[in-house]
Amino acid sequence: MDDTVTPAPATSTVQVRVDHHSAVQLAAEAARTVAESCGLTGSLPDQAAVLASELAGNLAKHATGGSVYLQPLLLGGGMEILAVDRGPGIADLPRALTDGYSTTATLGAGLGAVRRIATDFTIRTEPGTATLACARLTDADHRPKAHQEIGSLSLPVDGEQPCGDACASADTADCRTAFVVDGLGHGPEASEAAQAALRVFHRAPDRALHDMLFAVHRALRHTRGAAVGIMRLHHDRTEYCGVGNIRALVVTPETIRHGMTGLPGVVGWNMPTPRTHTLPTGPGVIAVLHSDGILPRWAHAPSRFLLRLPPALLAAAVAHAHRSTRDDATFLAARAPGGRFV
């Protein structure tokens, strides 16, 4: 396989670095494969290939330092294709989104085709800085999941598989619970610990946060252990409970506040008694969890453009620009259900 493509299991992200025009076809093929692995049928895998081809084609022609990221939707029911660059931005975005307007010889007809084909399409651009886009694709039964305000990327150490980080989310009643796990070290044994933690989360995502950590601790006793962070998002508050170096932050359209990390320890080995913290939230607030493979400098002096990105694009922007390639890296951003902010 061409090393331009970083394959990934279903719980992590496929990255296609668009550093030459042949990567456009690689992105299309990878999108079709991910779509099929997500259970999309009929013409949907071909539509996924068109979406990836259009987005990668724009990167190949207009941008530098670009990548396409492909993965299942975190809440299930489909897939998403993210495109991130360090390019010049789009000077006239409304015109670029006109169906039929295209400056690339790709499978469809430019960004207008992406907006028309995708179940949900979000794009932001800042001249001289970057363009970020997220195209989500679902079948008819899962369309509401494509519009959820949540996003993540989970990427392995460069040149290694599988990823020792993982993340998950679940909606129950009127709240959303987000979960990030970083298996100790990286490689297959770290991935084994992370996947064991995910299984515990999915069995009862609505349990009290400290009870969930105790359950994960028991499940990981015969693994190398992990750092674990859990957030529960309500409309008026966010609860956080964690052990190990998983960082939690609250992002507003103006600033970043309430940053904290988990208690010292390793879940599965020497876990202290977990404590749940409550953070105030409000309209437009995004809750963030990320592993230590995301360099903390991203939060030191963020631009207004970054702060006002929706969750999926915030996750893509930070992971793309501030990921350590020598460690597994996961970034998850979410709003409470119904907390959409334009």
Side-chain angles (χ1 to χ4, degrees):
M1 178 178 290
D2 189 300
D3 61 7
T4 302
V5 179
T6 304
T11 53
S12 59
T13 307
V14 176
Q15 179 182 9
V16 181
R17 293 184 175 89
V18 185
D19 49 12
H20 51 86
H21 195 74
S22 63
V24 175
Q25 182 60 32
L26 291 172
E29 293 169 355
R32 186 178 285 108
T33 298
V34 172
E36 291 170 348
S37 74
C38 292
L40 296 178
T41 59
S43 65
L44 292 174
D46 290 335
Q47 291 178 29
V50 172
L51 293 172
S53 177
E54 291 296 338
L55 293 173
N58 282 341
L59 295 180
K61 184 158 187 176
H62 301 295
T64 59
S67 285
V68 169
Y69 299 96
L70 309 109
Q71 60 193 359
L73 290 178
L74 200 57
L75 294 173
M79 67 172 293
E80 63 184 356
I81 304 163
L82 298 127
V84 188
D85 65 42
R86 298 186 182 98
I90 300 174
D92 189 348
L93 185 56
R95 184 184 181 203
L97 289 171
T98 302
D99 203 1
Y101 177 81
S102 177
T103 59
T104 58
T106 51
L107 294 177
L111 294 177
V114 174
R115 183 167 63 172
R116 173 169 45 81
I117 294 169
T119 310
D120 184 83
F121 181 53
T122 305
I123 186 168
R124 298 289 188 274
T125 188
E126 184 173 57
T129 301
T131 298
L132 303 106
C134 175
R136 290 174 168 173
L137 190 66
T138 70
D139 58 31
D141 292 338
H142 294 97
R143 287 184 179 276
K145 292 185 176 181
H147 306 297
Q148 294 297 319
E149 286 282 270
I150 188 166
S152 69
L153 267 79
S154 190
L155 297 160
V157 175
D158 265 11
E160 288 196 8
Q161 284 294 335
C163 184
D165 282 8
C167 62
S169 182
D171 288 356
T172 53
D174 61 348
C175 65
R176 172 168 292 156
T177 305
F179 183 90
V180 168
V181 54
D182 178 356
L184 196 64
H186 49 84
E189 292 183 357
S191 178
E192 178 186 358
Q195 296 304 311
L198 283 190
R199 288 192 290 272
V200 173
F201 172 79
H202 284 302
R203 280 198 291 268
D206 58 345
R207 75 176 82 190
L209 300 190
H210 64 278
D211 287 343
M212 189 180 300
L213 267 178
F214 278 122
V216 173
H217 179 63
R218 291 190 294 271
L220 267 56
R221 282 178 177 165
H222 299 294
T223 72
R224 62 170 52 182
V228 177
I230 317 170
M231 271 185 164
R232 179 156 291 149
L233 287 69
H234 303 267
H235 293 296
D236 58 347
R237 70 193 188 282
T238 294
E239 298 170 331
Y240 168 72
C241 189
V243 171
N245 199 13
I246 303 293
R247 196 171 186 208
L249 306 99
V250 172
V251 179
T252 79
E254 305 300 330
T255 190
I256 294 177
R257 52 187 171 87
H258 302 303
M260 62 178 66
T261 56
L263 296 170
V266 178
V267 179
W269 288 89
N270 59 338
M271 188 179 81
T273 301
R275 296 195 298 268
T276 298
H277 304 268
T278 300
L279 308 174
T281 57
V285 164
I286 296 174
V288 165
L289 286 173
H290 69 75
S291 68
D292 62 354
I294 300 293
L295 303 176
R297 66 170 181 258
W298 79 270
H300 291 172
S303 67
R304 183 176 174 84
F305 176 70
L306 185 72
L307 292 172
R308 296 182 67 85
L309 291 174
L313 297 186
L314 176 63
V318 174
H320 186 73
H322 299 284
R323 164 199 171 201
S324 169
T325 58
R326 294 182 291 181
D327 195 5
D328 303 319
T330 292
F331 189 101
L332 187 154
R335 290 193 178 101
R340 193 173 183 92
F341 177 78
V342 178

